[in-house]
Amino acid sequence: MASDQENSQDANAPDDTSEKEITRGITIMKSIIRDRDKAVTYNVNWNADNQLIGSNAAKLASYIGTLVRMHIPITATRWSNKELGSAKDKIWTEILRSFNIEDTTIRKKYILQLAGKRHRGWRTFLTNKYLKDKEKIFVEYDPEYPVKYAIFITEEEWVAFVAQRRDENFKKVSATNRERASNPTYAYKKGRLGYARLEEKNLDETKSDATSLPPHVLWKEARVGKDGTVRDDVQHIYDECETLSQSISTAEDQENRSVLSRALNVPEYPGRVRGKGHGCTPTSLYKNPRRRNPSNQEVMETLQALQAQVLQLQKDNDRYRCMEKCSSQLKETSEKASINCQNKFPEGISSCQLYLSSPTYRLVGKGKVHNTSGDLLHHRPLPDGHLKVSVDVVLDKDALLPIPDIVSETTFLRDAIGSFVAWPLDLIFIDDEVFAQGSQQLSQKIGSRQKNKRDLPVTSLPKKGAFVPRYQISLETLVDSSDMATAGAIRLLDMEEDIFGYSCTETIGKEDLEHIFRHQELGVGVIHTYIRFLYDNFMRGNDQLSNRFRFVSSSLVNKALICREPDSCREYLVKRFMASSTNNLYLWPYNSGCHWLLLAIDPLKEVVYFLNSIDGEWTNYPDMKQLVDTSIKVFRSQRQARVPRTKSSNITWIKVQCPLQRNGIDCGYFVMRFMREIINMNQIEIPITYFDEYKCAHYTRLQLEQIKEELCQYFIEKRLII
């Protein structure tokens, strides 16, 4: 291990908060969060001394620094404080979600000790940056609040931190450490590499069969400059270690002082091995040396690693098949139900606006839609999912026709003025006067059946012209004028315990907002934010709704975690079910890895409603079904419910004939609208044919835009951007 001078130098130069990084911006590790939402995890490796190595070691170390800043207050002076226990557990849980690490005591201890180092480095960086001048002397004036780190530090915490650092006892300790670290006898010259990764690098470059290097060899390598020269005093210590190693046995080296400590003539600290770095202990170095021939445990670990690789390949294969199946099912769905949605248009001829969704969603023209029975286009049947429209006005001269006219060989919309073309149903919008009349009739119908129900707000349409996504435009303007316009910027949204059964923080990044603006596939952060919107606007303060509907976290139960940690997923579901004393419907947006669907679970009646916007069966998700069935059975056992023998092994699964999507993107938007409509209907039982008030073959683009408008309005009203 390095000398006292080196340790002091390392403590005053935090690993992941250097001046170079600060000039780039705040280290957030947003790529890990994006991959986590996609159920992608990182593999990490450990050397013979149980130290972190491999290509992802630096990524994990930086991510630990980010989690420490996010969950540990800067006012925490002692890492061993028991009050930090829950925050440490949260850090460990977040790391397990993104990195493949065994959930064992030794691994957790290593990671949390590393987190403690990051916390000390973070506090030291803030002190040197804001509380000291260029000469490293404490300033007398009140330091400014670091607005740059406002997402990590509150103003109250900053005031308390400054008071701690200005304490006279702390200043004395700081001055002593600074003087000791100012001129180390044997300077460490490998920056952030660390002993473990230095050892890995050395073994790879020399192509050695050894699994580790002696401490004094590593100590010397850590003090070799960029030009490859070794100072004479460093070489002298190394030579003395070589001489001592010939005369001192391993047992004597372990029980007294190592050869490196003897050569340096410094004391040995308990629990540490000088020259080996963080995580290496005398027990791991001396009592459990790695054998050249693999042990049974090593063989089992290798077998488990191979099994994990096979499982990953199976997951990749399942994902590929899922994508193929989605494509085929979407095509089949379109063939079966394309005409059923025509009843959303008035019969006869109506003025309409024509939209295109590629490459961007935009208004391209105006015309008239002809919704008449048995209508033909140029003596041919209309394509499935399309209606005949006549083009009157072109607003985008470069817009292409959705389906080129093979009769007139017309490709551009501008060449179709005055003629008939086929246009997709979900890209046709009736002029507002007609649409408003139909919407009013539907509202009256719903209102007559829901006198005591709280209506969900519907984004109002302008009285003239096309639908304008006002809140989306406003939110995008706010994003462009804030720090969220930069890559890696995030916002944190607190999720109360009543929402998922535990308190947590949801991270929203620029990419999540871009997905909404560009109508792209959604991640778990957006889905959870919409759940918070539903809770705040319809369930908070409404005992009937809040007691009837509950939510299940997609972060704690998804396909990746079901395969990797089925027991923890089951425990969470059972605990969630046990929190209810009356009939509840638990809404669970489930991510299969490439698709969102919704489960609505009534654990007391042991009924599961399956809402899938691609018309798939629950048998396509065996891991998910087995988890739900097992959780309900454990819940049944814990509440000591008596169930007839004929039903003891039967849990009712109901496939709801919900609206279906017609592309590979809309599944997340459909799931959000399903939850909105279920809560609005305010009833536990979901009809097999879905609710009459919302029954249709497909949601229109306008219906999905209403969901996005509500979400963007929530972002603005909660002041999550500014």
Side-chain angles (χ1 to χ4, degrees):
M1 186 62 81
S3 65
D4 296 338
Q5 292 90 337
E6 302 147 24
N7 294 334
S8 299
Q9 185 185 44
D10 292 342
N12 288 292
D15 291 346
D16 60 335
T17 53
S18 64
E19 285 294 327
K20 182 178 179 181
E21 288 183 344
I22 294 305
T23 58
R24 291 196 313 245
I26 303 175
T27 302
I28 296 297
M29 308 300 290
K30 181 61 179 177
S31 61
I32 295 180
I33 299 174
R34 289 196 301 267
D35 288 340
R36 181 195 68 190
D37 292 345
K38 299 175 184 177
V40 176
T41 56
Y42 299 91
N43 294 321
V44 295
N45 300 319
W46 306 84
N47 64 11
D49 300 316
N50 286 321
Q51 294 173 297
L52 188 64
I53 58 173
S55 58
N56 291 322
K59 184 186 289 288
L60 174 55
S62 296
Y63 187 50
I64 290 173
T66 297
L67 293 176
V68 165
R69 296 186 184 98
M70 190 175 297
H71 297 294
I72 305 296
I74 59 174
T75 53
T77 57
R78 295 184 61 84
W79 185 252
S80 59
N81 193 331
K82 293 183 179 180
E83 293 180 357
L84 299 178
S86 60
K88 293 179 182 178
D89 290 339
K90 187 175 294 185
I91 291 174
W92 176 241
T93 301
E94 289 294 324
I95 290 173
L96 290 180
R97 291 172 62 188
S98 298
F99 292 86
N100 292 323
I101 302 176
E102 303 92 337
D103 191 3
T104 60
T105 302
I106 187 172
R107 294 288 187 252
K108 183 177 181 180
K109 180 180 179 182
Y110 178 95
I111 294 297
L112 292 183
Q113 285 179 344
L114 186 57
K117 292 181 63 177
R118 293 292 179 268
H119 184 248
R120 290 191 294 275
W122 169 231
R123 283 161 53 88
T124 301
F125 163 75
L126 292 173
T127 301
N128 293 335
K129 177 73 175 178
Y130 294 96
L131 275 68
K132 294 183 179 181
D133 56 20
K134 295 182 179 180
E135 305 300 326
K136 300 302 179 183
I137 305 299
F138 281 89
V139 297
E140 296 298 329
Y141 56 85
D142 291 333
E144 61 178 350
Y145 171 68
V147 179
K148 187 172 188 177
Y149 303 103
I151 62 173
F152 301 130
I153 307 170
T154 65
E155 294 185 3
E156 292 78 8
E157 289 176 345
W158 177 250
V159 172
F161 175 76
V162 171
Q164 290 176 356
R165 292 307 203 188
R166 283 184 166 176
D167 181 80
E168 291 301 323
N169 292 330
F170 175 80
K171 289 183 178 181
K172 292 179 182 179
V173 174
S174 177
T176 302
N177 290 337
R178 183 174 67 254
E179 182 179 357
R180 184 175 58 180
S182 61
N183 188 25
T185 307
Y186 308 102
Y188 177 89
K189 297 186 177 182
K190 297 302 178 183
R192 298 181 61 190
L193 189 62
Y195 282 107
R197 283 185 281 163
L198 174 62
E199 181 182 67
E200 178 189 26
K201 179 182 178 182
N202 187 279
L203 293 175
D204 289 342
E205 290 177 350
T206 59
K207 298 182 179 179
S208 172
D209 293 332
T211 58
S212 64
L213 296 175
H216 67 277
V217 176
L218 266 180
W219 181 87
K220 174 190 172 183
E221 290 294 326
R223 282 147 187 84
V224 177
K226 293 182 179 179
D227 56 358
T229 60
V230 181
R231 282 172 31 184
D232 292 339
D233 54 348
V234 172
Q235 185 65 43
H236 174 74
I237 295 295
Y238 174 80
D239 293 338
E240 188 174 349
C241 288
E242 285 288 293
T243 303
L244 288 172
S245 63
Q246 303 299 321
S247 58
I248 298 178
S249 65
T250 303
E252 185 180 1
D253 187 26
Q254 173 191 348
E255 294 175 2
N256 298 292
R257 288 193 300 165
S258 66
V259 294
L260 181 57
S261 296
R262 293 168 186 266
L264 291 170
N265 194 25
V266 292
E268 192 75 77
Y269 295 99
R272 293 167 50 184
V273 178
R274 191 177 299 277
K276 292 295 285 185
H278 170 72
C280 182
T281 63
T283 300
S284 64
L285 182 64
Y286 299 113
K287 293 184 179 180
N288 297 306
R290 292 291 181 98
R291 303 179 180 91
R292 294 297 300 275
N293 295 325
S295 64
N296 291 337
Q297 180 181 357
E298 291 172 348
V299 172
M300 291 301 298
E301 290 177 353
T302 303
L303 179 60
Q304 291 176 358
L306 292 174
Q307 290 175 340
Q309 293 179 13
V310 172
L311 179 61
Q312 185 61 44
L313 291 174
Q314 290 176 343
K315 291 180 180 179
D316 293 341
N317 186 41
D318 291 342
R319 181 180 177 88
Y320 175 77
R321 290 185 176 181
C322 179
M323 294 176 67
E324 282 192 329
K325 185 166 186 179
C326 287
S327 178
S328 62
Q329 288 177 339
L330 289 173
K331 181 178 179 182
E332 180 182 355
T333 299
S334 178
E335 292 174 352
K336 288 181 178 179
S338 60
I339 302 303
N340 294 340
C341 197
Q342 292 184 10
N343 57 11
K344 74 184 181 70
F345 295 106
E347 293 185 3
I349 302 175
S350 304
S351 298
C352 66
Q353 298 158 0
L354 306 176
Y355 283 75
L356 287 179
S357 59
S358 178
T360 59
Y361 189 76
R362 65 202 190 281
L363 176 66
V364 295
K366 297 183 178 181
K368 295 181 177 62
V369 59
H370 296 249
N371 186 22
T372 57
S373 177
D375 209 351
L376 302 176
L377 178 65
H378 304 310
H379 307 290
R380 296 171 180 266
L382 283 165
D384 292 331
H386 292 68
L387 281 178
K388 184 171 74 173
V389 300
S390 57
V391 181
D392 297 333
V393 178
V394 174
L395 302 178
D396 185 344
K397 61 182 181 62
D398 295 323
L400 297 173
L401 289 173
I403 298 180
D405 192 336
I406 59 176
V407 176
S408 61
E409 298 183 351
T410 302
T411 303
F412 288 94
L413 179 62
R414 63 174 181 262
D415 298 327
I417 295 179
S419 61
F420 293 101
V421 295
W423 209 271
L425 288 168
D426 59 343
L427 296 177
I428 303 174
F429 292 100
I430 302 299
D431 276 353
D432 300 327
E433 291 79 2
V434 179
F435 182 82
Q437 182 180 2
S439 298
Q440 184 179 6
Q441 294 174 355
L442 176 59
S443 299
Q444 293 174 352
K445 180 180 180 182
I446 296 175
S448 63
R449 296 188 56 178
Q450 301 184 84
K451 293 182 179 180
N452 298 322
K453 298 172 187 173
R454 185 176 180 182
D455 290 337
L456 292 152
V458 177
T459 305
S460 60
L461 297 176
K463 295 183 178 181
K464 294 184 179 181
F467 166 71
V468 178
R470 292 190 179 93
Y471 289 109
Q472 294 181 55
I473 295 173
S474 300
L475 182 60
E476 191 166 8
T477 302
L478 284 176
V479 170
D480 291 339
S481 60
S482 70
D483 66 310
M484 285 291 284
T486 60
I490 64 169
R491 291 295 185 270
L492 304 178
L493 177 63
D494 292 331
M495 306 294 285
E496 301 176 20
E497 183 176 355
D498 290 342
I499 299 176
F500 293 130
Y502 70 102
S503 59
C504 60
T505 301
E506 197 60 55
T507 304
I508 304 297
K510 177 189 176 184
E511 292 81 0
D512 295 312
L513 299 176
E514 288 291 337
H515 293 165
I516 300 173
F517 299 149
R518 307 293 173 253
H519 198 84
Q520 298 172 347
E521 296 178 0
L522 299 179
V524 66
V526 176
I527 300 294
H528 279 185
T529 302
Y530 192 75
I531 287 177
R532 174 64 191 269
F533 159 77
L534 293 175
Y535 179 81
D536 284 347
N537 286 272
F538 311 112
M539 299 171 64
R540 187 189 300 277
N542 188 325
D543 293 339
Q544 185 183 32
L545 289 177
S546 60
N547 291 331
R548 178 165 292 181
F549 298 103
R550 306 283 176 93
F551 298 101
V552 174
S553 171
S554 303
S555 297
L556 290 189
V557 193
N558 52 53
K559 182 177 180 180
L561 289 176
I562 291 174
C563 295
R564 195 173 67 203
E565 302 175 18
D567 292 341
S568 63
C569 294
R570 184 184 65 251
E571 290 174 2
Y572 169 68
L573 282 181
V574 173
K575 182 179 179 180
R576 198 80 182 100
F577 296 159
M578 291 295 293
S580 61
S581 58
T582 58
N583 277 83
N584 295 112
L585 196 65
Y586 288 82
L587 304 180
W588 173 21
Y590 173 71
N591 192 321
S592 66
C594 61
H595 175 62
W596 285 101
L597 57 87
L598 181 66
L599 296 180
I601 306 173
D602 184 346
L604 284 177
K605 292 184 179 179
E606 300 188 356
V607 176
V608 182
Y609 298 96
F610 181 79
L611 292 85
N612 191 355
S613 59
I614 60 171
D615 199 27
E617 302 292 335
W618 59 71
T619 53
N620 296 332
Y621 312 93
D623 295 332
M624 174 270 291
K625 185 179 186 301
Q626 181 180 3
L627 172 69
V628 174
D629 289 346
T630 304
S631 301
I632 292 178
K633 291 177 182 178
V634 173
F635 169 66
R636 175 201 303 166
S637 174
Q638 291 190 6
R639 66 187 181 91
Q640 299 179 348
R642 295 183 178 181
V643 180
R645 291 185 177 181
T646 56
K647 184 177 171 55
S648 60
S649 60
N650 295 328
I651 295 172
T652 304
W653 282 71
I654 298 176
K655 179 183 177 182
V656 179
Q657 299 172 18
C658 57
L660 303 177
Q661 64 187 88
R662 290 181 288 184
N663 56 36
I665 298 175
D666 287 345
C667 55
Y669 302 97
F670 272 61
V671 165
M672 291 191 294
R673 189 166 183 96
F674 290 159
M675 292 190 293
R676 181 184 110 156
E677 292 173 348
I678 290 172
I679 294 176
N680 193 37
M681 294 307 299
N682 193 14
Q683 60 187 58
I684 296 292
E685 297 181 358
I686 302 177
I688 296 180
T689 57
Y690 205 52
F691 303 111
D692 291 339
E693 290 78 4
Y694 301 112
K695 187 184 300 182
C696 64
H698 316 284
Y699 286 139
T700 66
R701 183 58 182 268
L702 180 59
Q703 289 174 301
L704 302 185
E705 288 294 323
Q706 291 173 355
I707 297 292
K708 293 163 62 176
E709 280 289 274
E710 290 176 342
L711 194 55
C712 292
Q713 181 180 1
Y714 185 69
F715 273 108
I716 295 173
E717 292 178 348
K718 293 290 289 186
R719 303 180 67 84
L720 292 176
I721 303 302
I722 56 177

